[in-house]
Amino acid sequence: MQIIGKTNFDFMGKKKITFVISSIIALLGLIGVGQIALGTANMGIDFSGGTAVQLNFSQPVAIDQARHALAKHGFKDANLQEVSGGNKLLVKVGKATHVQGPAADAIEDAFRKEFTDNRFVIESSTEIGPAIGDKLRKDTLVAVVISLVGIVIYIAWRFDFAFGVGALAATLHDVLAMFAVFFVMQKEINLLFITAVLTIAGYSLTDTVVVFDRIRENLHKNVKDSLTAICNFSINEVLSRTIITALTTFLATASLFFFGGEVIHDFAFALLVGIIVGVYSSVFVASPIVVIWGSRNKETKA
């Protein structure tokens, strides 16, 4: 299946413009990562500490009503999630919430006052201290770095070192772009966001490998043309496939974004951002870097 015919775009000729755009995105992403490392970003309770309480009601509870009830008692920023299996509700509040006494007790009192005809039991109550959140935040950043190093080693082993550098740059670009968007929009950084980042890292890498496979194949077939011409030709060859794959993935994720509910809203949004930048980087970041790196190696050897 093809949605566009044969193309002949000069992708490599646009690399100066796209490198400037990517540099700005990466800079914003680095600022966002720095804010996270310092603990000054909009962190979820997974990283900043707080209280999580799971309640099981005797009757269904509309999440909007539950949110309104909590807001009346000082929990206007509470994060609510519906839990499958019964009329269960998970409530998370950050450490910055100012209430008298333990937050878990205050949440219980709020629901008992607002839902007098709907009895409930507390199934679990967890306090996440700032020290645990701080360790989790640092461990997460280390995990992201280790995964990126693993990517460059895998690609360098499968292709060539220049391809490994290109894949690493593209994947790092996508990760930083997601951090940049969340940093600029002041969206909450939590474990779901980190899950989305690692998911997109894998998706972007797969897309990049498809392009690299075609470049390597054409390099073996054609030894006369320049690396720039072969990269342009290869990207145009797989462009239709790249667009179809990205479009179908984007539409599936968009349905989660619009109809999946508030719990996974930011998660789906992060995936949408990642899909867009993933396609962009496989064309405008990974391959141009292979061309530049490959040319330098040839000059050095000469």
Side-chain angles (χ1 to χ4, degrees), residues 45 49-53 91-95 102-105 107 125-128:
I45 72 166
T51 302
V53 180
V91 180
K92 296 180 180 179
V93 295
K95 64 179 181 180
D105 293 345
I107 292 171
S125 177
T126 307
E127 294 280 344
I128 303 174

Side-chain angles (χ1 to χ4, degrees), residues 65-76 78 80 91 107 110-111:
Q65 291 179 346
R67 181 173 288 106
H68 179 68
L70 288 172
K72 286 177 63 178
H73 294 269
F75 296 104
K76 64 179 181 179
L80 283 78
V91 180
I107 292 171
F111 281 124

Side-chain angles (χ1 to χ4, degrees), residues 112-124:
R112 291 199 187 284
K113 290 177 181 175
E114 299 299 325
F115 298 106
T116 54
D117 298 330
N118 193 354
R119 300 177 65 183
F120 64 87
V121 294
I122 304 292
E123 290 196 331
S124 66

Side-chain angles (χ1 to χ4, degrees), residues 171-220:
T171 306
L172 186 60
H173 168 274
D174 298 344
V175 169
L176 290 176
M178 295 174 73
F179 277 105
V181 171
F182 268 58
F183 166 67
V184 170
M185 298 181 70
Q186 282 295 296
K187 285 188 169 292
E188 185 179 282
I189 305 296
N190 52 31
L191 283 177
L192 273 179
F193 171 71
I194 298 301
T195 303
V197 168
L198 295 177
T199 302
I200 288 301
Y203 173 84
S204 171
L205 180 63
T206 303
D207 202 38
T208 302
V209 166
V210 170
V211 176
F212 282 180
D213 266 332
R214 187 56 58 93
I215 292 174
R216 183 174 61 175
E217 184 181 328
N218 288 328
L219 280 172
H220 292 157

Side-chain angles (χ1 to χ4, degrees), residues 56-69:
N56 191 355
F57 289 85
S58 58
Q59 302 172 32
V61 177
I63 201 162
D64 289 339
Q65 291 179 346
R67 181 173 288 106
H68 179 68

